[in-house]
């Protein structure tokens, strides 16, 4: 009798185990995949890689992934960075968002604050958390959850026309005053030193002001996440860029966005510009005859003896959206992008412009054996050093949704326009802009850990 009871109990346990397994399998199949089963489902990816080589690289990765997983379909849609922000913020209300996308670092915290993303802890674990730069990975870490994963990194540096500097006997500027004097000398010879962009449909005014403030060890946000445009350092920066615009910049740059600003340098019309390693590809495509006449140097300081503060680093991330019907498919595709051969091929689509976000790539022979990287070894070293020290704008005291609003609302750009076009006093304009930003900041709150 006792043996019969034991056998019956064992059978009940076995049937229960089968039931749990079946339920688990059904749930995974409904989500589109499981770790051992076949992936299936259609996902949409949005990205902002509008340049040919990068766009083609991502499409190739998607095509290869679909060949390996015949039941998966990946539809890719491309938007400029500015259009992407409008697309996701308006689409969030009606569910018109993708399964997976790129994003700008400052936007991710807005997405988290809107409860629009899923945590990627399992994906980070699969790729290897120790492979990532901790600062880059933690840019969207909230309550122990990773909401984005950096795909590549780059940093803002000063690009110069070495031929023009040599022609007019000008040293590479190390301070903002030296940049002013160099621009003055170039203008006397009919050459634009630097263009100063303040278009209100982009964040360039914020970026340029951040260059100055960060170079002096300051921040556009206080530790308690308030806008700071009225400090002496910020006021000096505002007055500096207004002066540079009025005296040396093309007047049209008052309304320039990032592409219009970069195009002047690509066309050989400016001797200095601030940007990442993407300038190499821009010169190649627009003015290949100038490819031997450009190089990158650190962003100037207020005083040459000042400490080397980090300026602006962008760790461009990938995110998976909460609205996705097949998050496991999206995550699996995301993970595939980091497979070494495909990852290096992606970075090779814009050499120097995109630096690896994971360890063990920059020393790989396949990565180093690239003619453009060899040619611009000095520039890549400067960018790499800058990337290691910098943060996203406003992230000096940690990631925050306020930093995203600082760059995305274009209030600082409007402040510059008021000063230049309407003759508004810099301090009064700064106070008004500061109040606008702080009023916006009061409408949001996110506890970042």
């Amino acid at each position: 009798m006792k043996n019969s009871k034991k056998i019956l109990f064992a059978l009940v346990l076995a049937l229960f185990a089968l039931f749990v397994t079946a339920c688990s399998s059904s749930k995974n199949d409904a989500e589109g995949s499981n770790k051992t089963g076949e992936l299936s489902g259609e996902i949409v990816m949005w990205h902002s890689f509008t340049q040919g080589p990068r766009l083609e690289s991502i499409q190739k990765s998607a095509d290869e992934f679909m060949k390996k997983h015949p039941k998966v379909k990946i539809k890719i849609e491309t938007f400029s960075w500015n259009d992407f922000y409008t697309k996701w913020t308006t689409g969030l209300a009606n569910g018109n968002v993708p399964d997976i996308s790129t994003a700008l670092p400052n936007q991710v915290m807005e997405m988290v604050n809107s409860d629009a993303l899923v945590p990627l802890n399992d994906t980070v674990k699969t790729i290897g958390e120790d492979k990532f730069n901790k600062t880059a990975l933690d840019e969207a870490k909230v309550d122990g959850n990773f909401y984005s994963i950096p795909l590549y990194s780059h940093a803002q540096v000063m690009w110069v026309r070495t031929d023009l500097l040599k022609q007019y006997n000008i040293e590479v500027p190390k301070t903002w005053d030296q940049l002013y004097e160099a621009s003055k000398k170039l203008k006397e010879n009919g050459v634009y030193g630097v263009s100063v962009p303040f278009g209100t449909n982009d964040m360039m005014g914020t970026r340029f002001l951040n260059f100055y403030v960060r170079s002096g060890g300051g921040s556009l946000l206080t530790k308690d996440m308030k806008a700071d445009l009225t400090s002496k350092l910020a006021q000096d920066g505002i007055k500096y860029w207004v002066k540079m615009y009025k005296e040396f910049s093309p007047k049209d740059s008052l309304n320039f966005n990032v592409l219009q600003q970069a195009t002047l340098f690509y066309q050989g019309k400016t001797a200095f510009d601030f940007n990442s390693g993407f300038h190499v590809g821009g010169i190649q495509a627009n003015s290949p005859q100038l490819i031997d006449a450009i190089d990158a140097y650190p962003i100037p300081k207020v005083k040459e003896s000042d400490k080397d503060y980090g300026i602006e680093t962008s760790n461009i991330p990938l995110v998976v959206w909460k609205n996705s019907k097949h998050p496991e498919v999206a995550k699996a595709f995301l993970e595939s992008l980091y497979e070494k051969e495909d990852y290096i091929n992606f970075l090779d689509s814009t050499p120097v412009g995109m630096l690896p976000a994971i360890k063990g790539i920059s020393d790989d022979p396949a990565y180093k054996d690239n003619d453009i990287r060899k040619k611009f070894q000095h520039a890549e070293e400067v960018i790499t050093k800058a990337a290691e020290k910098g943060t996203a704008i406003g992230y000096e005291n940690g990631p925050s949704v306020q930093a995203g609003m600082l760059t995305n609302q274009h209030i600082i750009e409007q402040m510059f326009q008021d000063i230049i076009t309407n003759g508004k006093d810099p301090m009064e304009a700064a106070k008004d802009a500061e109040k606008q930003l702080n009023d916006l900041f009061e409408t949001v709150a996110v506890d970042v850990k």
Side-chain angles (χ1 to χ4, degrees):
M1 181 67 107
K2 290 182 178 179
N3 287 337
S4 297
K5 288 182 177 180
K6 288 181 179 179
I7 291 170
L8 181 61
F9 183 68
L11 285 171
V12 171
L13 283 178
L15 287 170
F16 180 74
L18 285 171
F19 175 76
V20 170
T21 301
C23 289
S24 176
S25 177
S26 297
K27 181 182 178 184
N28 282 329
D29 288 342
E31 290 177 347
S33 69
N34 60 52
K35 291 297 181 182
T36 57
E38 186 176 8
L39 290 169
S40 65
E42 180 175 348
I43 63 171
V44 175
M45 179 184 190
W46 289 358
H47 70 70
S48 297
F49 304 143
T50 54
Q51 301 95 332
R54 290 201 297 173
L55 187 152
E56 292 163 8
S57 177
I58 290 293
Q59 185 62 60
K60 182 180 178 182
S61 294
D63 292 341
E64 291 176 352
F65 189 84
M66 287 187 285
K67 284 181 181 178
K68 292 179 182 177
H69 306 282
K71 292 186 178 181
V72 169
K73 183 176 180 181
I74 302 173
K75 181 181 179 182
I76 294 180
E77 299 178 3
T78 308
F79 305 95
S80 70
W81 292 111
N82 278 340
D83 289 343
F84 170 72
Y85 182 76
T86 302
K87 186 78 174 176
W88 80 259
T89 50
T90 56
L92 198 59
N94 56 23
N96 185 24
V97 291
D99 297 85
I100 181 175
S101 77
T102 56
L104 289 177
N106 300 79
Q107 295 175 5
V108 176
M109 291 311 300
E110 289 190 63
M111 296 171 182
V112 173
N113 198 55
S114 301
D115 193 27
L117 306 178
V118 299
L120 298 173
N121 297 25
D122 52 346
T123 306
V124 170
K125 185 176 180 180
T126 299
I127 299 171
E129 184 175 344
D130 60 339
K131 289 184 179 180
F132 292 96
N133 174 283
K134 186 177 186 304
T135 302
L137 189 59
D138 286 354
E139 281 190 342
K141 187 178 183 182
V142 181
D143 293 334
N145 291 315
F146 298 107
Y147 284 92
S148 72
I149 299 179
L151 180 60
Y152 66 90
S153 301
H154 63 75
Q156 296 289 307
V157 294
M158 181 173 67
W159 286 89
V160 308
R161 283 280 304 279
T162 54
D163 58 333
L164 291 176
L165 268 59
K166 183 178 180 180
Q167 181 179 349
Y168 298 112
N169 195 29
I170 298 172
E171 295 290 326
V172 174
K174 294 182 179 179
T175 68
W176 296 113
D177 286 343
Q178 289 173 10
L179 179 62
Y180 174 88
E181 293 300 329
S183 299
K184 183 178 180 180
K185 188 170 185 178
L186 286 163
K187 185 178 181 181
E188 291 170 353
N189 289 280
V191 179
Y192 284 123
V194 63
S195 170
V196 184
F198 292 136
T200 55
N201 66 339
D202 212 334
M203 55 173 277
M204 296 301 286
T206 304
R207 169 171 282 166
F208 272 49
L209 180 57
N210 187 65
F211 289 154
Y212 193 101
V213 171
R214 286 300 299 138
S215 74
S219 172
L220 296 178
L221 288 179
T222 63
K223 290 184 179 180
D224 59 350
M225 297 301 158
K226 301 291 185 183
D228 186 7
L229 306 178
T230 54
S231 68
K232 183 181 183 306
L233 187 57
Q235 280 292 298
D236 287 346
I238 291 169
K239 292 171 184 175
Y240 177 83
W241 287 121
V242 169
K243 184 178 181 180
M244 291 290 284
Y245 168 80
K246 288 182 175 180
E247 295 189 23
F248 308 126
S249 183
K251 298 311 172 190
D252 289 347
S253 71
L254 182 66
N255 297 305
F256 275 6
N257 60 27
V258 63
L259 182 58
Q260 292 167 312
Q261 169 74 6
T263 298
L264 275 188
F265 189 77
Y266 297 162
Q267 294 174 340
K269 294 180 179 179
T270 49
F272 302 101
D273 194 23
F274 300 96
N275 210 307
S276 66
F278 283 91
H279 263 6
V280 173
I283 289 290
Q284 277 185 305
N286 292 274
S287 301
Q289 73 277 9
L290 298 177
I291 198 66
D292 293 324
I294 63 168
D295 202 354
Y297 290 87
I299 285 176
K301 306 175 185 179
V302 177
K303 297 179 182 178
E304 195 169 337
S305 59
D306 285 348
K307 178 182 174 182
D308 288 328
Y309 296 99
I311 308 294
E312 182 189 344
T313 296
S314 293
N315 301 297
I316 304 301
L318 292 165
V319 298
V320 173
W321 292 77
K322 199 170 187 177
N323 198 54
S324 174
K325 293 180 180 179
H326 303 290
E328 296 303 317
V329 177
K331 289 179 181 181
F333 178 54
L334 188 158
E335 291 166 12
S336 73
L337 297 175
Y338 291 88
E339 294 173 5
K340 182 176 284 188
E341 184 177 347
D342 286 344
Y343 189 56
I344 291 177
N345 286 336
F346 171 67
L347 297 175
D348 279 348
S349 67
T350 314
V352 186
M354 298 190 295
L355 304 179
I358 55 177
K359 299 173 185 175
I361 299 297
S362 58
D363 293 327
D364 192 286
Y367 177 85
K368 296 170 74 173
D369 189 24
N370 178 285
D371 290 340
I372 294 297
R373 288 197 185 93
K374 291 176 182 177
K375 184 178 184 63
F376 287 93
Q377 182 179 349
H378 172 259
E380 183 159 322
E381 288 173 354
V382 170
I383 298 168
T384 300
K385 185 177 179 181
E388 290 171 351
K389 293 184 177 182
T391 69
I393 296 175
Y395 273 32
E396 295 81 22
N397 297 306
S400 69
V401 68
Q402 289 89 344
M405 299 180 81
L406 181 76
T407 56
N408 293 325
Q409 297 301 313
H410 313 310
I411 290 172
I412 291 176
E413 286 72 26
Q414 186 60 58
M415 175 195 73
F416 276 115
Q417 295 229 355
D418 283 344
I419 295 169
I420 292 167
T421 304
N422 302 325
K424 198 167 186 175
D425 176 75
M427 178 59 81
E428 292 304 311
K431 286 180 179 178
D432 289 345
E434 199 172 80
K435 184 179 185 306
Q436 288 182 62
L437 286 165
N438 287 331
D439 286 347
L440 282 172
F441 295 167
E442 288 182 4
T443 66
V444 297
V446 61
D447 183 19
V448 181
K449 297 181 181 178

